[in-house]
Amino acid sequence: MLIVMKPDATPAQLETVCAHVRELGLIPHRIRGETWTINVFGVGRSAPTERLAALPGVSACEKNGEPPTLVRRQQRPQGTTLMVRDEPIGGGRFTLIAGPCAVESREQVMRTAECVSREGVRFFRGGAYKPRTSPYAFQGLGDEGLRLLDEVKSRFDLRIVTEVKDVETLPAVVQVADVLQLGARNMHNYSLVEAVGKVGKPVLLKRGISATLNEWLLAAEYLLAGGNAQVVLCERGIRTFETMTRNTLDLAGAVLTKQLTHLPVIVDPSHGAGLASVVPPLVLASLAAGLDGAMVEVHPAPDQALSDGPQAVDFPAFADLAAKLRNMRRSTELP
Amino acid sequence: MLIVMKPDATPAQLETVCAHVRELGLIPHRIRGETWTINVFGVGRSAPTERLAALPGVSACEKNGEPPTLVRRQQRPQGTTLMVRDEPIGGGRFTLIAGPCAVESREQVMRTAECVSREGVRFFRGGAYKPRTSPYAFQGLGDEGLRLLDEVKSRFDLRIVTEVKDVETLPAVVQVADVLQLGARNMHNYSLVEAVGKVGKPVLLKRGISATLNEWLLAAEYLLAGGNAQVVLCERGIRTFETMTRNTLDLAGAVLTKQLTHLPVIVDPSHGAGLASVVPPLVLASLAAGLDGAMVEVHPAPDQALSDGPQAVDFPAFADLAAKLRNMRRSTELP
Amino acid sequence: MLIVMKPDATPAQLETVCAHVRELGLIPHRIRGETWTINVFGVGRSAPTERLAALPGVSACEKNGEPPTLVRRQQRPQGTTLMVRDEPIGGGRFTLIAGPCAVESREQVMRTAECVSREGVRFFRGGAYKPRTSPYAFQGLGDEGLRLLDEVKSRFDLRIVTEVKDVETLPAVVQVADVLQLGARNMHNYSLVEAVGKVGKPVLLKRGISATLNEWLLAAEYLLAGGNAQVVLCERGIRTFETMTRNTLDLAGAVLTKQLTHLPVIVDPSHGAGLASVVPPLVLASLAAGLDGAMVEVHPAPDQALSDGPQAVDFPAFADLAAKLRNMRRSTELP
Amino acid sequence: MLIVMKPDATPAQLETVCAHVRELGLIPHRIRGETWTINVFGVGRSAPTERLAALPGVSACEKNGEPPTLVRRQQRPQGTTLMVRDEPIGGGRFTLIAGPCAVESREQVMRTAECVSREGVRFFRGGAYKPRTSPYAFQGLGDEGLRLLDEVKSRFDLRIVTEVKDVETLPAVVQVADVLQLGARNMHNYSLVEAVGKVGKPVLLKRGISATLNEWLLAAEYLLAGGNAQVVLCERGIRTFETMTRNTLDLAGAVLTKQLTHLPVIVDPSHGAGLASVVPPLVLASLAAGLDGAMVEVHPAPDQALSDGPQAVDFPAFADLAAKLRNMRRSTELP
């Protein structure tokens, strides 16, 4: 059960509510957001919600504690802006994060970094540790990949967005990453989510491949409840019956999520659609829809890529997309 | 089995192939697109495709005849533009189709028609016959609804887009409609699809709620194979596990479909998302993504609507959307 | 809005409620099930449900009229048994319906009919008119197919279950069919559902490929509301992300549906799984789960079939399945 | 790329193939199953598969290494039987695993253990560490829960099946568990899968909520490639559009999986359907379908359960199910 306090609730009222909870044989656990929330443990299905809801200072009392709380837009109606080494995500800006799916070689990342930074990109993506469906697939270059990302970081003044695969390799990733990416497969891996939340760095949380919007917000809630509010949400396609596209990019879900939460919301049409020809139109669409950014896979030679080649755009296609984005941002009053 | 002839195949070559087919005890059926295609009936799984494919003038020989043929972009690389009483759909224009889900009353349609035509809209949508999941739900005003649409047509110079429910009421609908809408539930109703195709009027074919892109194209293929090439495709959301939105609008699927076919492709974000607040961003997104238009439900008082109220935008929201679209069209070089 | 009357409501009470409805400017439409139900047309979202629910004789008052009513188990707790020429469907019996997907030739149907009747089967399936996703696929033999089914009927004393594709061919199908099958594609084709319901013959209603259990029950409700209670429901697999099986047979959904409705519920694992090797285990599973029967595709030479060969069992596999079913029925006290 | 050696390949042949791989600048990694398999790292899309496939002793050479190898039925046509303290899983037996969703209290687990062991059950399930969608939901009793499970183990001679949530708590869980359960959320958490595989205890691997059958087999492949072949697969329902059941139990998928792999396959209809009334018919169905067992949630008072109450059967319902299973096993010759 969750007890949400009013914004103007006094410390004395908070204490009184906790005392009532203890009297009922239950355990109150306080969570500090913009307002106080008390998570009550040990509650059966016959919890006295009405009685607690009637106490002074209480705004609402929710059984089961299911709905996300700290991530709700009402907590910060003006929205959250992340600052990543002086570059914002959110706050009305449209942020492009670009780079290869996986770090494959020095030449590949340097050429790609040069291409995207030339187009004005400030955030570079690239996986060093890759969770893969098959034990026999390319699993990333590991530490060597991190070293190459570190070189990209200093040479091109790019902020590094890279995936965290597990708790074991987290410390190494933290040394290099400016934004820690939690991938779709790990959105439901709450032990890792909690560990990543404690690091204190910005987190990019991808939506699980079959996660509802509510479950996605609840995963973000784990981060905020753990004290880390520097979170950006990334819709990357959900699994449906359609097979011509790799997944189904849920742009409407991303738009709705932005209305529900104060966190920035971006999309990853590369994974979402899985086809390079569809990626640029979807990036333009996400800008027009008022989202906060997009993540795009770029590769010098997509047909040589060790992972996910068909969804990577090549350099000319990326330059063309970047030009269209600049043109659209300059001239259009967006929603 | 389908035998696709080369563009420069001669009539004699076509005849030779048909003769070969008959010799095999099979029945050839010729289809005239930009190139000739022969549909071969009576084929078992051991059809001699290689042998037929080797004949002069044959471009390809496809077992099962599954892939759509006449709708393919290669048939008309420049794309198809429908002309509906001097107004185009396709050809680089972004067409807005607006109006209520169902025709409910004279006042409701006239006020809505006035609102949308004031904003420059040229196509009015509104259902007179409504297929409904429950036998107890409002099924539309029927003929009275058609009469009201006819009045809208003459008073506001709007082109009428309205749904055909069955073969029985088709003749009445044809009297009023400028564009015959085949709804999502009827995309798989091939008897109706064929009947509608024979009427010779432009058809708006919605994607079935769980139809793959290929099945959707095949339903359009029924229309083209029947001689009607005046078809516009409308993506209106597919059924997924997500319940916070009514359906999941497959914008990536719509973009990909536009790359696969020469027919215009539009979206219906009202049914696709089911939430009025999400509709305007999705319309702007579909323009940015290079699609050919969008269909939007508008109602003078959405909370009083007899069907699908939560997804209808009200007049001020529609005026705001129309202004943003005009602004975006004017100033942006789109993909 | 639906007003459900109590079982012991008097005619006077029914009349009083209708009078109240008319006073409110609404239209009452009476439906006769085991209890009376009044469907109220013309209701806005601010309907006075509480006021009407308080009238004498009223059991419940449901806004929107969404939930199915006449099909509910409470209407006939003992369940409905269909009688098809002296053979029951439902009532504790497990009914096997067997035959080819499509009628292809005289030899094929006669050999198959002989095989299945030898194993004690009393219901023969086979499509004469086949709705097909592609306009170029084999669409069935049509009237010739019906003649062959008629011959099967008289020669082997088999009851014929065959699909109705549209209103146009319905009269011809009615001449031969003992049970009219409404296919998955047509479950949402309410005009056809209503037309079939009026014929007065038993109907086998397949679940749509993406229909919820509630929508499926509502489609049956169309039949019952039209006066035909001779309905058997057939689960035939739903569309999911899994592609290794053709569809996902929702056995749990079939079991739950049987708990919700008084109508018999069977499964079609041939379409449900799409793989012959998986069909026999699923038929045995449906018997163990307490369902009322199963529909199985049988073909003398599955790899020669004109449609859906991979899911048809051959004669030896069918004989083996029939033996296992007899053994299981004889010796097991089933749920 | 995967190179699969023939069963009778000699060590010299294996060495020769590895030498060829190194010559190509690639890295060979040997995997010991019933036959040797070489996983080749560093392969681009233009790998010389044909050349390698032609070497003596090579059975097949698969690009991308996607298809599972060690889990295939061909590796052990007779099937794998796990032995868990003298009790088999697989090998023709139908194993019932029963117990509460979560360990909640001493009284709850002891009463449940007594109930299920009285009915002949040999495997007890119960979660001490519970991964939960909401950070505010009951997360299990943790170590105290493990202590209670240890007591159940010694008092009732039950084998303990309990979930592993993360690498951190794995050592504690290993002390008590006879079978380590990898939950649906963690099937894609390959770091945990690998860690669990190394422990050397039997593993119950649940299918992810949106995992394809192939992805599920690949997750098992991680375990076998790591040297642990004591794996049982558990289908527990996939996520679909249907909401009346919690998930959609894919019984056909489980049957097909059993045909594809030598590992035992069981089902969890409690999570699969989410409704207690549907669970017993599905357990009987899984026995009839030839699967190797079922996992059932049992609770002394389902409406008081701290997690997943609606899907737990109470003691009388469990006793009734156990009796039906005994009766069916005794008297039926199953597939």
Side-chain angles (χ1 to χ4, degrees), chain A residues 10-25:
Chain A
T10 64
Q13 287 172 334
L14 180 70
E15 186 42 50
T16 306
V17 175
C18 289
H20 264 82
V21 168
R22 282 188 216 98
E23 255 171 56
L24 291 161

Side-chain angles (χ1 to χ4, degrees), chain B residues 1-2 31 37 39-46 64-70 130-139 165-168 185-186 188-191 194 209-212 214-215 218-219 221-222 225 239 302-310, chain C residues 1-2 31 37 39-46 64-70 130-139 165-168 185-186 188-191 194 209-212 214-215 218-219 221-222 225 239 302-310:
Chain B
M1 185 171 62
L2 278 189
I31 308 159
T37 300
N39 186 14
V40 182
F41 289 101
V43 185
R45 274 163 201 274
S46 52
N64 294 331
E66 279 298 331
T69 298
L70 304 175
K130 304 289 301 173
R132 298 303 295 272
T133 305
S134 168
Y136 309 128
F138 174 63
Q139 315 262 335
K165 199 180 68 162
D166 50 35
V167 172
E168 288 67 39
R185 286 184 189 83
N186 279 321
H188 288 295
N189 180 354
Y190 302 119
S191 299
E194 287 182 326
I209 203 170
S210 68
T212 62
N214 199 51
E215 290 170 348
L218 280 166
E221 186 82 7
Y222 266 96
R239 183 162 274 184
D303 57 350
Q304 307 284 323
L306 288 184
S307 81
D308 294 343
Chain C
M1 185 171 60
L2 278 190
I31 308 160
T37 300
N39 186 14
V40 181
F41 289 100
V43 185
R45 274 161 202 274
S46 52
N64 293 332
E66 279 299 329
T69 299
L70 304 176
K130 304 289 301 174
R132 297 303 295 272
T133 304
S134 168
Y136 308 128
F138 174 63
Q139 314 262 335
K165 199 180 69 163
D166 50 35
V167 172
E168 288 66 39
R185 287 184 188 82
N186 278 321
H188 288 296
N189 180 355
Y190 302 119
S191 299
E194 287 181 327
I209 203 169
S210 67
T212 63
N214 198 52
E215 290 170 349
L218 281 165
E221 186 83 7
Y222 266 96
R239 184 161 273 182
D303 57 351
Q304 307 284 324
L306 288 183
S307 80
D308 294 344

Side-chain angles (χ1 to χ4, degrees), chain C residues 174-198:
Chain C
V174 166
Q175 296 303 315
V176 173
D178 294 295
V179 178
L180 298 164
Q181 179 180 320
L182 276 163
R185 287 184 188 82
N186 278 321
M187 192 207 88
H188 288 296
N189 180 355
Y190 302 119
S191 299
L192 181 59
V193 172
E194 287 181 327
V196 165
K198 281 177 197 147

Side-chain angles (χ1 to χ4, degrees), chain A residues 181-184 187 204-208 216 234 236 268 271:
Chain A
Q181 178 179 323
L182 276 163
M187 193 207 87
L204 184 148
L205 178 68
K206 288 202 163 182
R207 181 181 180 186
W216 188 24
C234 179
R236 43 80 71 212
D268 172 355
H271 281 91

Side-chain angles (χ1 to χ4, degrees), chain A residues 136 166 191 210 221 239, chain D residues 132 136 166 191 210 221 239:
Chain A
Y136 310 127
D166 50 36
S191 299
S210 68
E221 186 83 7
R239 184 162 272 183
Chain D
R132 298 303 295 274
Y136 309 128
D166 50 36
S191 299
S210 68
E221 186 82 7
R239 184 162 273 183

Side-chain angles (χ1 to χ4, degrees), chain B residues 58-78:
Chain B
V58 172
S59 159
C61 193
E62 289 160 357
K63 233 150 149 181
N64 294 331
E66 279 298 331
T69 298
L70 304 175
V71 299
R72 285 186 193 166
R73 179 155 278 273
Q74 294 91 311
Q75 292 271 3
R76 293 197 195 176
Q78 77 286 12

